[in-house]
Amino acid sequence: MLTKRIIPCLDVKDGRVVKGINFLNLRDAGDPAESAAAYDAQGADEVVFLDITASADSRDTQLSWVRDVASTLFIPFTVGGGIRTTDDFKAILREGADKIAVNSAALMNPDLISEAAMKFGSQCVVVAMDAKRIEGTDRWTVYKNGGRVDMNMDAVEWAIKAEKLGAGEILLTSMDADGTKAGYDLELTKAIASSVNIPVIASGGAGKLEDFYTAVEAGASAVLAASLFHYKELTIREVKEYMKERGISVRL
Amino acid sequence: MIAVVDYDAGNVKSVEKAIEKLGAKHILTSDPEEIRKADAVILPGVGNFGDCVNKLSERGLDSVLKEYAASGKPFLGICVGLQLLFDESEESPGVKGLGILPGKIKRFPSSDELKVPQIGWNDIIESKGRLLDGIDKGTYFYFVHSYYLECEDPSIVTSKTEYGVTYDSSVESGNVFATQFHPEKSSDAGLKVLSNFLKIAGEV
């Protein structure tokens, strides 16, 4: 049976993992390849790297750490952040990444999704969306530039459009839930997951074991968390065992 | 020397990295001569069935691969590399596969319950053969695909997997091996499968 995936997310800046991950007892806590390998050993089903490097001339650094990760990590990994063209896709995929997440660039140029899907296959095109509820309604709009600019575009409509253009997965972050540890935005997860036929990865808000379970119940195919795992408040194994006890299929 | 077939079909790098990790030597090539000379061949792949058939035939590799598979030297197809070994696919009606093994590739049934493509870790509900030596049934592998194999010869099927339907997720006929899952992305279990192949090939 296909399992629900548990995905740790690592922020990378200038080729180094940021956010504390000392708990992993790594020789070098900031090394993307070692951090990823440690998560693999813990049972992560895949790993997402978000490159938050601000400088524009950082592509070489990015390619270098992607190459290192690919040499040591034998589970799928996604790279996102600052990817704007199919040439960017090509360069990163060639170093061994499996999937590319696009957010603002896809909003500004939706054809990027279809071009990338045509060239590299839908399986490697992840459309990441940051969605925020329109207060007092059951609607959400999507934001670009790391949640700074409201596109005034309906999140459900954008998800449907992304699927039509050839996205293979949707990485759905709730801006309202993100950082609150109050649980994923279940209504948003449900609204998006029930509108598309591609897998939806729920992101933003995980704080306790139950949150992962309820996100899956709301329709998520995978659940992503960052700080919860970084600071070892929960381990991937604990999450999987909890889900298994509740009848959710996981890889243990 | 292992030849990894280069036909511009994606995710080749991860196959190469896994072979390196296991300590074997390989070349990435689309040169028919190099492929003929290789001690074993791996046909990786992600992508559209018809496109992949075209890319192989443009490079004159279709006949080379058929010859190679018939030679008895070890051959491993992965994902689309499995699908290409069969006769035809619903993904590309009218396009002929390599026809090395008997069977067809069908699309997963669409329903609200079933997301297509299947993306993620699924288990094999049986496990036999040399490629899966040491792999128990119930072991999870990483899959990414919208189409599945319906093999016409049950005797060559070495594992089955369930996703809406029960389908054939790996095969083994003589020295021709193929997996629908990605061993190079399936952590320790996947590396074990690749290591089995490299051992069969005498490369490790």
Side-chain angles (χ1 to χ4, degrees):
Chain A
M1 195 175 177
L2 184 70
T3 62
K4 301 297 179 183
R5 288 169 281 155
I6 310 296
I7 306 176
C9 178
L10 300 169
D11 287 346
V12 179
K13 191 172 184 217
D14 299 325
R16 312 285 292 166
V17 174
V18 294
K19 288 190 178 170
I21 47 165
N22 298 326
F23 71 92
L24 290 171
N25 297 322
L26 303 174
R27 277 184 289 119
D28 178 355
D31 182 70
E34 287 192 31
S35 307
Y39 277 127
D40 178 10
Q42 284 188 17
D45 294 312
E46 50 187 278
V47 178
V48 169
F49 293 91
L50 291 182
D51 197 322
I52 56 172
T53 308
S55 61
D57 56 359
S58 59
R59 186 67 67 202
D60 288 346
T61 312
Q62 186 178 51
L63 295 180
S64 150
W65 68 253
V66 170
R67 190 178 311 134
D68 290 346
V69 168
S71 305
T72 48
L73 189 68
F74 296 98
I75 58 173
F77 72 98
T78 302
V79 175
I83 291 144
R84 291 185 181 83
T85 67
T86 54
D87 283 344
D88 295 342
F89 267 74
K90 189 174 185 177
I92 297 167
L93 292 172
R94 200 162 46 196
E95 297 302 341
D98 299 288
K99 310 180 196 182
I100 303 292
V102 283
N103 190 333
S104 302
L107 283 165
M108 298 312 292
N109 172 24
D111 290 342
L112 176 62
I113 301 172
S114 46
E115 283 166 22
M118 195 88 80
K119 280 194 175 153
F120 313 110
S122 289
Q123 83 291 332
C124 75
V125 184
V126 179
V127 170
M129 47 193 280
D130 296 331
K132 189 169 165 53
R133 187 188 290 265
I134 303 170
E135 233 171 289
T137 72
D138 282 331
R139 291 185 54 230
W140 297 262
T141 55
V142 288
Y143 282 64
K144 66 168 184 170
N145 296 357
R148 284 190 285 274
V149 180
D150 187 354
M151 295 292 287
N152 294 312
M153 188 192 291
D154 184 79
V156 171
E157 282 171 22
W158 174 233
I160 292 169
K161 185 173 177 186
E163 177 182 21
K164 278 202 185 114
L165 288 169
E169 282 179 281
I170 288 176
L171 169 51
L172 174 65
T173 302
S174 160
M175 292 168 56
D176 302 298
D178 201 30
T180 64
K181 297 204 173 177
Y184 296 95
D185 185 334
L186 301 179
E187 289 176 13
L188 172 65
T189 303
K190 198 170 193 172
I192 302 289
S194 64
S195 305
V196 296
N197 198 38
I198 51 178
V200 171
I201 304 164
S203 159
K208 55 187 185 301
L209 289 170
E210 194 190 352
D211 296 337
F212 293 91
Y213 171 74
T214 51
V216 164
E217 288 289 286
S221 295
V223 278
L224 178 142
S227 56
L228 206 61
F229 295 136
H230 297 321
Y231 298 118
K232 215 184 179 182
E233 289 163 43
L234 290 175
T235 64
I236 287 162
R237 188 163 186 93
E238 281 171 337
V239 172
K240 288 191 165 184
E241 280 171 355
Y242 178 91
M243 286 176 56
K244 190 178 182 189
E245 278 168 24
R246 273 148 195 81
I248 303 288
S249 171
V250 290
R251 176 179 72 106
L252 265 174
Chain B
M1 181 68 80
I2 309 263
V4 177
V5 181
D6 181 10
Y7 62 115
D8 200 19
N11 103 310
V12 169
K13 186 58 87 178
S14 47
V15 174
E16 294 188 84
K17 299 268 187 180
I19 297 170
E20 280 166 24
K21 160 95 174 173
L22 294 167
K25 288 205 166 29
H26 78 279
I27 44 166
L28 179 64
T29 180
S30 56
D31 177 354
E33 271 321 299
E34 287 192 311
I35 291 171
R36 283 194 191 99
K37 279 194 310 205
D39 300 307
V41 163
I42 297 181
L43 180 64
V46 164
N48 175 285
F49 184 88
D51 281 354
C52 289
V53 169
N54 289 338
K55 284 171 178 168
L56 286 178
S57 59
E58 276 164 17
R59 291 163 173 79
L61 294 177
D62 42 356
S63 54
V64 176
L65 294 178
K66 279 190 220 179
E67 242 173 67
Y68 194 93
S71 75
K73 288 200 273 185
F75 182 105
L76 173 63
I78 298 173
C79 193
V80 172
L82 167 142
Q83 300 185 356
L84 291 169
L85 299 180
F86 291 85
D87 302 315
E88 57 184 333
S89 170
E90 287 181 0
E91 186 172 17
S92 311
V95 176
K96 271 192 155 45
L98 296 173
I100 291 167
L101 300 173
K104 59 179 84 163
I105 310 301
K106 302 175 78 169
R107 187 173 166 88
F108 282 124
S110 58
S111 78
D112 289 347
E113 297 304 303
L114 208 64
K115 303 274 186 186
V116 177
Q118 169 177 226
I119 299 182
W121 297 78
N122 202 334
D123 63 334
I124 55 173
I125 56 175
E126 55 186 74
S127 177
K128 56 186 186 193
R130 289 179 295 154
L131 188 68
L132 300 184
D133 184 35
I135 302 285
D136 296 332
K137 69 176 181 182
T139 300
Y140 287 98
F141 290 97
Y142 190 77
F143 290 83
V144 183
H145 60 128
S146 300
Y147 297 81
Y148 66 90
L149 166 63
E150 195 175 81
C151 186
E152 268 168 36
D153 179 359
S155 73
I156 66 171
V157 175
T158 55
S159 73
K160 286 177 181 286
T161 296
E162 292 171 339
Y163 191 65
V165 294
T166 300
Y167 66 93
D168 304 320
S169 51
S170 68
V171 293
E172 181 170 327
S173 171
N175 262 349
V176 177
F177 305 86
T179 64
Q180 179 60 62
F181 52 82
H182 287 277
E184 76 283 8
K185 283 290 155 187
S186 296
S187 199
D188 295 343
L191 291 176
K192 167 77 178 155
V193 170
L194 282 176
S195 151
N196 285 345
F197 179 74
L198 297 176
K199 276 183 194 146
I200 292 164
E203 296 291 307
V204 291

